[in-house]
Protein backbone atom coordinates (compact mmCIF):
# COMPACT_ATOMS: atom_id res chain seq x y z
CA UNK A 1 0.00 0.00 0.00
CA UNK A 2 1.35 3.41 -0.98
CA UNK A 3 0.55 6.90 0.27
CA UNK A 4 -0.29 7.77 -3.30
CA UNK A 5 -3.06 5.15 -3.30
CA UNK A 6 -4.47 6.57 -0.06
CA UNK A 7 -4.42 10.03 -1.59
CA UNK A 8 -6.25 8.77 -4.67
CA UNK A 9 -8.80 6.91 -2.53
CA UNK A 10 -9.45 9.99 -0.39
CA UNK A 11 -10.09 12.13 -3.48
CA UNK A 12 -12.59 9.65 -4.95
CA UNK A 13 -14.27 9.18 -1.56
CA UNK A 14 -14.76 12.93 -1.16
CA UNK A 15 -15.86 13.58 -4.76
CA UNK A 16 -17.81 10.31 -5.21
CA UNK A 17 -16.99 10.70 -8.88
CA UNK A 18 -13.94 9.27 -10.65
CA UNK A 19 -13.86 12.00 -13.30
CA UNK A 20 -13.91 14.91 -10.84
CA UNK A 21 -11.39 13.13 -8.59
CA UNK A 22 -9.04 12.66 -11.57
CA UNK A 23 -9.29 16.38 -12.41
CA UNK A 24 -8.61 17.26 -8.77
CA UNK A 25 -5.53 15.03 -8.78
CA UNK A 26 -4.43 16.31 -12.21
CA UNK A 27 -4.29 12.79 -13.69
CA UNK A 28 -6.40 10.93 -16.23
CA UNK A 29 -9.26 8.73 -15.10
CA UNK A 30 -8.04 5.27 -16.26
CA UNK A 31 -4.87 5.24 -14.08
CA UNK A 32 -6.94 6.46 -11.14
CA UNK A 33 -9.47 3.65 -11.56
CA UNK A 34 -6.63 1.14 -11.84
CA UNK A 35 -4.97 2.35 -8.64
CA UNK A 36 -8.22 2.12 -6.69
CA UNK A 37 -8.83 -1.41 -8.02
CA UNK A 38 -5.27 -2.43 -7.07
CA UNK A 39 -5.84 -1.03 -3.59
CA UNK A 40 -9.07 -2.99 -3.20
CA UNK A 41 -7.34 -6.17 -4.38
CA UNK A 42 -4.60 -5.65 -1.81
CA UNK A 43 -7.08 -4.95 1.00
CA UNK A 44 -9.35 -7.84 0.06
CA UNK A 45 -12.60 -5.85 0.12
CA UNK A 46 -14.44 -3.26 -1.97
CA UNK A 47 -14.10 0.40 -1.04
CA UNK A 48 -16.87 1.60 -3.38
CA UNK A 49 -20.16 0.41 -4.78
CA UNK A 50 -20.11 1.40 -8.47
CA UNK A 51 -23.01 1.68 -10.86
CA UNK A 52 -23.36 3.42 -14.19
CA UNK A 53 -25.08 6.30 -12.44
CA UNK A 54 -23.17 6.82 -9.20
CA UNK A 55 -20.31 5.86 -6.90
CA UNK A 56 -20.90 5.20 -3.22
CA UNK A 57 -18.60 4.27 -0.36
CA UNK A 58 -19.06 0.79 1.02
CA UNK A 59 -19.34 0.36 4.78
CA UNK A 60 -15.74 -0.86 4.82
CA UNK A 61 -14.71 2.07 2.60
CA UNK A 62 -16.33 4.55 4.98
CA UNK A 63 -14.36 3.08 7.89
CA UNK A 64 -11.18 2.98 5.84
CA UNK A 65 -11.57 6.66 4.89
CA UNK A 66 -11.19 7.77 8.52
CA UNK A 67 -7.94 5.84 8.86
CA UNK A 68 -6.65 7.02 5.48
CA UNK A 69 -7.23 10.65 6.46
CA UNK A 70 -5.29 10.16 9.70
CA UNK A 71 -2.39 8.49 7.91
CA UNK A 72 -2.20 11.20 5.25
CA UNK A 73 -2.38 13.95 7.89
CA UNK A 74 0.42 12.31 9.88
CA UNK A 75 2.52 11.93 6.77
CA UNK A 76 2.03 15.59 5.89
CA UNK A 77 2.91 16.59 9.44
CA UNK A 78 6.09 14.51 9.24
CA UNK A 79 7.01 16.17 5.94
CA UNK A 80 6.45 19.65 7.35
CA UNK A 81 8.47 18.86 10.47
CA UNK A 82 11.33 17.44 8.42
CA UNK A 83 11.22 20.48 6.15
CA UNK A 84 11.48 22.76 9.20
CA UNK A 85 14.46 20.78 10.45
CA UNK A 86 16.13 20.89 7.03
CA UNK A 87 15.79 24.68 7.02
CA UNK A 88 17.10 24.98 10.58
CA UNK A 89 13.77 26.20 11.94
CA UNK A 90 13.10 23.22 14.22
CA UNK A 91 15.04 20.50 16.00
CA UNK A 92 17.30 20.33 19.02
CA UNK A 93 20.87 21.31 19.88
CA UNK A 94 23.14 20.45 22.80
CA UNK A 95 25.58 23.22 23.73
CA UNK A 96 28.64 22.89 25.93
CA UNK A 97 29.94 26.00 27.66
CA UNK A 98 32.55 27.14 30.13
CA UNK A 99 31.93 29.57 32.98
CA UNK A 100 33.55 32.74 31.52
CA UNK A 101 31.25 32.58 28.52
CA UNK A 102 28.27 33.38 30.76
CA UNK A 103 29.82 36.69 31.79
CA UNK A 104 29.86 37.92 28.20
CA UNK A 105 27.13 38.20 25.58
CA UNK A 106 26.22 34.49 25.49
CA UNK A 107 23.03 34.68 27.64
CA UNK A 108 21.57 37.60 25.67
CA UNK A 109 22.63 36.04 22.36
CA UNK A 110 20.90 32.78 23.29
CA UNK A 111 17.73 34.70 24.18
CA UNK A 112 17.84 36.41 20.78
CA UNK A 113 18.15 33.00 19.12
CA UNK A 114 15.22 31.55 21.08
CA UNK A 115 13.08 34.56 20.14
CA UNK A 116 13.82 33.96 16.45
CA UNK A 117 13.82 30.14 16.48
CA UNK A 118 11.29 29.09 19.14
CA UNK A 119 10.94 25.55 17.70
CA UNK A 120 14.59 24.66 18.30
CA UNK A 121 15.18 23.10 21.72
CA UNK A 122 18.47 24.06 23.41
CA UNK A 123 20.18 22.00 26.12
CA UNK A 124 23.23 23.39 27.93
CA UNK A 125 26.01 21.36 29.57
CA UNK A 126 28.69 23.12 31.64
CA UNK A 127 32.13 21.59 31.11
CA UNK A 128 35.76 22.56 30.63
CA UNK A 129 37.14 23.38 27.20
CA UNK A 130 38.96 20.03 27.03
CA UNK A 131 35.77 18.19 27.97
CA UNK A 132 33.87 20.07 25.29
CA UNK A 133 36.38 19.15 22.59
CA UNK A 134 36.11 15.48 23.57
CA UNK A 135 32.30 15.74 23.59
CA UNK A 136 32.28 17.38 20.15
CA UNK A 137 34.40 14.61 18.67
CA UNK A 138 32.15 11.98 20.28
CA UNK A 139 29.01 13.68 18.96
CA UNK A 140 27.69 14.26 22.50
CA UNK A 141 27.29 18.02 21.95
CA UNK A 142 26.65 20.07 18.82
CA UNK A 143 28.41 23.30 19.78
CA UNK A 144 31.12 24.18 22.25
CA UNK A 145 31.78 27.59 23.76
CA UNK A 146 35.45 27.13 24.57
CA UNK A 147 38.72 28.81 25.32
CA UNK A 148 41.16 27.37 22.79
CA UNK A 149 44.23 29.56 23.53
CA UNK A 150 44.74 30.18 19.83
CA UNK A 151 44.68 26.51 18.86
CA UNK A 152 42.08 24.53 16.97
CA UNK A 153 42.14 20.82 17.86
CA UNK A 154 42.15 18.31 14.97
CA UNK A 155 38.69 17.41 13.74
CA UNK A 156 37.14 20.59 15.16
CA UNK A 157 36.28 23.89 13.49
CA UNK A 158 36.07 27.12 15.47
CA UNK A 159 35.57 30.85 15.15
CA UNK A 160 36.02 33.79 17.60
CA UNK A 161 33.02 34.74 19.70
CA UNK A 162 34.09 37.10 22.49
CA UNK A 163 37.29 38.64 23.80
CA UNK A 164 38.18 40.93 26.69
CA UNK A 165 41.04 41.68 29.04
CA UNK A 166 41.77 40.64 32.60
CA UNK A 167 41.69 43.23 35.39
CA UNK A 168 42.59 43.46 39.06
CA UNK A 169 39.47 43.26 41.21
CA UNK A 170 39.80 44.68 44.72
CA UNK A 171 37.78 46.03 47.63
CA UNK A 172 36.67 49.61 47.11
CA UNK A 173 38.73 50.76 50.11
CA UNK A 174 41.97 49.12 48.91
CA UNK A 175 44.98 51.43 48.62
CA UNK A 176 45.05 50.94 44.84
CA UNK A 177 41.32 51.46 44.33
CA UNK A 178 41.80 55.11 43.44
CA UNK A 179 44.07 54.27 40.52
CA UNK A 180 43.09 53.48 36.93
CA UNK A 181 45.89 50.95 36.44
CA UNK A 182 48.64 49.09 38.29
CA UNK A 183 51.83 47.26 37.31
CA UNK A 184 53.04 43.95 38.76
CA UNK A 185 55.99 45.72 40.41
CA UNK A 186 53.45 47.72 42.44
CA UNK A 187 51.94 44.48 43.70
CA UNK A 188 55.03 42.88 45.23
CA UNK A 189 53.55 43.12 48.74
CA UNK A 190 50.00 42.24 47.70
CA UNK A 191 48.40 38.83 47.93
CA UNK A 192 46.71 37.54 44.79
CA UNK A 193 43.57 35.46 44.52
CA UNK A 194 43.97 32.93 41.72
CA UNK A 195 42.18 29.81 40.59
CA UNK A 196 43.88 26.45 41.24
CA UNK A 197 46.51 25.71 38.59
CA UNK A 198 44.99 22.33 37.71
CA UNK A 199 41.84 24.04 36.46
CA UNK A 200 43.57 26.08 33.71
CA UNK A 201 47.34 25.47 33.82
CA UNK A 202 48.10 27.52 30.70
CA UNK A 203 46.36 30.62 32.03
CA UNK A 204 47.80 30.17 35.53
CA UNK A 205 51.33 29.91 34.12
CA UNK A 206 50.74 32.97 31.91
CA UNK A 207 49.78 35.05 34.97
CA UNK A 208 52.88 33.95 36.88
CA UNK A 209 55.10 34.58 33.83
CA UNK A 210 53.67 38.09 33.38
CA UNK A 211 54.77 38.97 36.93
CA UNK A 212 58.16 37.33 36.52
CA UNK A 213 58.70 39.37 33.33
CA UNK A 214 58.61 42.51 35.49
CA UNK A 215 60.90 41.06 38.16
CA UNK A 216 58.13 40.24 40.61
CA UNK A 217 57.41 36.91 42.27
CA UNK A 218 53.64 36.98 42.87
CA UNK A 219 52.28 36.10 46.30
CA UNK A 220 49.29 33.79 45.88
CA UNK A 221 47.36 33.98 49.13
CA UNK A 222 44.00 32.47 48.19
CA UNK A 223 42.65 30.07 45.58
CA UNK A 224 39.10 30.28 44.29
CA UNK A 225 37.47 27.78 41.95
CA UNK A 226 34.88 30.24 40.66
CA UNK A 227 35.10 33.87 39.63
CA UNK A 228 32.29 34.88 41.98
CA UNK A 229 34.13 33.33 44.92
CA UNK A 230 37.25 35.22 43.85
CA UNK A 231 35.28 38.47 43.88
CA UNK A 232 33.81 37.67 47.30
CA UNK A 233 37.30 37.10 48.73
CA UNK A 234 38.54 40.33 47.13
CA UNK A 235 35.57 42.30 48.50
CA UNK A 236 36.42 40.95 51.95
CA UNK A 237 39.91 42.45 51.64
CA UNK A 238 41.69 39.09 51.36
CA UNK A 239 43.64 39.97 48.22
CA UNK A 240 43.46 41.07 44.61
CA UNK A 241 41.60 38.84 42.18
CA UNK A 242 42.61 38.60 38.54
CA UNK A 243 39.33 38.16 36.67
CA UNK A 244 37.78 39.09 33.31
CA UNK A 245 36.61 42.68 33.12
CA UNK A 246 32.92 41.85 32.78
CA UNK A 247 33.15 39.61 35.84
CA UNK A 248 34.50 42.48 37.94
CA UNK A 249 31.59 44.64 36.79
CA UNK A 250 29.03 42.25 38.30
CA UNK A 251 29.60 43.62 41.83
CA UNK A 252 29.39 47.41 41.62
CA UNK A 253 29.80 49.15 44.96
CA UNK A 254 31.85 46.35 46.55
CA UNK A 255 34.53 45.78 43.88
CA UNK A 256 36.76 48.22 42.03
CA UNK A 257 38.31 47.06 38.75
CA UNK A 258 41.80 48.36 37.94
CA UNK A 259 43.66 47.74 34.70
CA UNK A 260 46.64 45.42 35.09
CA UNK A 261 49.64 46.62 33.06
CA UNK A 262 51.02 43.19 32.25
CA UNK A 263 51.35 40.94 29.23
CA UNK A 264 48.40 38.67 29.96
CA UNK A 265 46.47 36.72 27.35
CA UNK A 266 43.04 38.02 26.52
CA UNK A 267 39.93 36.15 27.54
CA UNK A 268 39.19 34.70 24.10
CA UNK A 269 36.03 32.64 23.84
CA UNK A 270 35.41 30.69 20.64
CA UNK A 271 32.55 28.73 19.15
CA UNK A 272 33.57 25.20 18.15
CA UNK A 273 31.88 22.34 16.35
CA UNK A 274 32.84 18.99 14.85
CA UNK A 275 34.05 19.19 11.26
CA UNK A 276 31.41 17.98 8.85
CA UNK A 277 28.62 18.18 11.43
CA UNK A 278 27.11 21.63 11.07
CA UNK A 279 23.37 21.20 10.68
CA UNK A 280 21.12 23.97 9.42
CA UNK A 281 19.97 24.64 12.99
CA UNK A 282 23.57 24.88 14.16
CA UNK A 283 24.42 27.24 11.30
CA UNK A 284 21.53 29.47 12.32
CA UNK A 285 22.62 29.40 15.97
CA UNK A 286 26.24 30.28 15.15
CA UNK A 287 25.09 33.14 12.89
CA UNK A 288 22.91 34.66 15.63
CA UNK A 289 25.60 34.26 18.32
CA UNK A 290 28.32 35.84 16.19
CA UNK A 291 26.07 38.70 15.08
CA UNK A 292 25.01 39.44 18.67
CA UNK A 293 28.61 39.23 19.91
CA UNK A 294 29.78 41.65 17.24
CA UNK A 295 27.12 44.18 18.19
CA UNK A 296 28.03 43.85 21.88
CA UNK A 297 31.71 44.43 21.09
CA UNK A 298 30.83 47.55 19.09
CA UNK A 299 28.71 48.88 21.95
CA UNK A 300 31.58 48.26 24.36
CA UNK A 301 34.06 50.03 22.09
CA UNK A 302 31.73 52.98 21.62
CA UNK A 303 31.27 53.29 25.40
CA UNK A 304 35.03 53.22 25.98
CA UNK A 305 35.61 55.85 23.28
CA UNK A 306 32.91 58.07 24.76
CA UNK A 307 34.44 57.75 28.23
CA UNK A 308 37.92 58.56 26.90
CA UNK A 309 36.55 61.59 25.08
CA UNK A 310 34.81 62.82 28.24
CA UNK A 311 38.00 62.43 30.28
CA UNK A 312 40.02 64.27 27.63
CA UNK A 313 37.46 67.11 27.62
CA UNK A 314 37.62 67.43 31.41
CA UNK A 315 41.40 67.58 31.34
CA UNK A 316 41.47 70.21 28.59
Amino acid sequence: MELRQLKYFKAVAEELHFGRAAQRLNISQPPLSMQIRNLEDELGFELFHRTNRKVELSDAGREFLDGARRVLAQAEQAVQQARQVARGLAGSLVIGFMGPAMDGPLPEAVKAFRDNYPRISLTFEEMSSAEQVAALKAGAIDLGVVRAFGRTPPGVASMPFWREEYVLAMATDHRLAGKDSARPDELADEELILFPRQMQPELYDAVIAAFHAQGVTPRVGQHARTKQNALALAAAGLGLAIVPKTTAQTRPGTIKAVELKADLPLVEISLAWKLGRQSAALQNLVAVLVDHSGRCQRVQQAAVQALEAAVAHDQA
Side-chain angles (χ1 to χ4, degrees), residues 77-88:
Q77 183 180 6
V79 169
Q80 293 300 327
Q81 177 68 15
R83 187 172 288 127
Q84 294 288 303
V85 171
R87 295 171 58 191

Side-chain angles (χ1 to χ4, degrees), residues 2-315:
E2 301 177 3
L3 285 178
R4 180 182 58 173
Q5 291 176 309
L6 295 183
K7 181 179 178 183
Y8 288 177
F9 164 68
K10 176 175 175 288
V12 175
E14 291 174 348
E15 297 291 342
L16 292 178
H17 192 283
F18 277 83
R20 289 195 299 268
Q23 290 180 343
R24 171 173 155 181
L25 295 167
N26 198 29
I27 62 174
S28 61
Q29 184 173 333
L32 174 61
S33 298
M34 181 181 300
Q35 288 294 332
I36 295 300
R37 180 60 66 187
N38 290 341
L39 179 59
E40 289 177 321
D41 290 343
E42 182 177 351
L43 293 173
F45 54 81
E46 285 190 341
L47 296 170
F48 299 99
H49 297 309
R50 305 166 178 84
T51 68
N52 291 332
R53 302 180 61 182
K54 63 180 179 178
V55 175
E56 292 181 335
L57 278 166
S58 67
D59 291 341
R62 195 171 292 107
E63 180 68 22
F64 189 68
L65 177 60
D66 291 337
R69 282 171 170 160
R70 287 195 297 270
V71 170
L72 289 171
Q74 290 171 355
E76 178 60 24
Q77 183 180 6
V79 169
Q80 293 300 327
Q81 177 68 15
R83 187 172 288 127
Q84 294 288 303
V85 171
R87 295 171 58 191
L89 302 177
S92 61
L93 294 170
V94 181
I95 303 166
F97 71 96
M98 55 183 299
M102 287 301 181
D103 293 328
L106 182 61
E108 291 185 7
V110 168
K111 184 180 184 304
F113 178 79
R114 288 182 61 82
D115 290 343
N116 286 281
Y117 298 91
R119 297 188 62 194
I120 296 181
S121 171
L122 300 179
T123 301
F124 287 83
E125 299 285 348
E126 185 173 5
M127 55 183 72
S128 69
S129 293
E131 289 171 333
Q132 289 183 65
V133 170
L136 285 171
K137 292 182 176 180
I141 63 175
D142 299 290
L143 181 71
V145 186
V146 304
R147 186 168 189 187
F149 291 96
R151 297 191 302 272
T152 301
V156 173
S158 67
M159 65 186 305
F161 174 62
W162 178 256
R163 62 181 59 185
E164 64 176 331
E165 67 273 16
Y166 283 96
V167 297
L168 285 171
M170 61 193 70
T172 54
D173 60 354
H174 191 278
R175 67 178 183 87
L176 297 174
K179 303 187 65 173
D180 293 325
S181 64
R183 302 183 309 273
D185 58 13
E186 298 177 83
L187 308 176
D189 297 327
E190 298 289 341
E191 288 193 346
L192 299 182
I193 303 168
L194 297 182
F195 46 87
R197 184 181 182 277
Q198 62 268 27
M199 289 181 60
Q200 293 190 42
E202 291 177 299
L203 180 57
Y204 188 99
D205 292 344
V207 171
I208 301 301
F211 277 74
H212 285 168
Q214 295 193 27
V216 178
T217 299
R219 297 173 55 196
V220 180
Q222 306 285 337
H223 288 96
R225 298 186 66 85
T226 68
K227 298 182 295 300
Q228 293 305 320
N229 285 344
L231 292 181
L233 293 173
L238 297 177
L240 307 180
I242 298 179
V243 297
K245 186 174 182 179
T246 51
T247 300
Q249 294 171 342
T250 62
R251 295 191 58 158
T254 61
I255 288 292
K256 170 67 187 298
V258 173
E259 179 185 359
L260 178 57
K261 294 288 189 179
D263 187 19
L264 289 178
L266 291 173
V267 181
E268 293 183 300
I269 306 298
S270 298
L271 305 177
W273 59 91
K274 185 177 182 179
L275 282 173
R277 193 179 175 182
Q278 194 177 20
S279 65
L282 181 56
Q283 292 177 32
N284 290 340
L285 173 61
V286 169
V288 171
L289 295 185
V290 171
D291 176 69
H292 196 86
S293 170
R295 284 187 280 116
C296 287
Q297 295 276 18
R298 291 192 292 272
V299 168
Q300 268 199 345
Q301 292 169 0
V304 170
Q305 291 170 355
L307 179 60
E308 290 175 345
V311 171
H313 180 270
D314 290 342
Q315 293 176 346

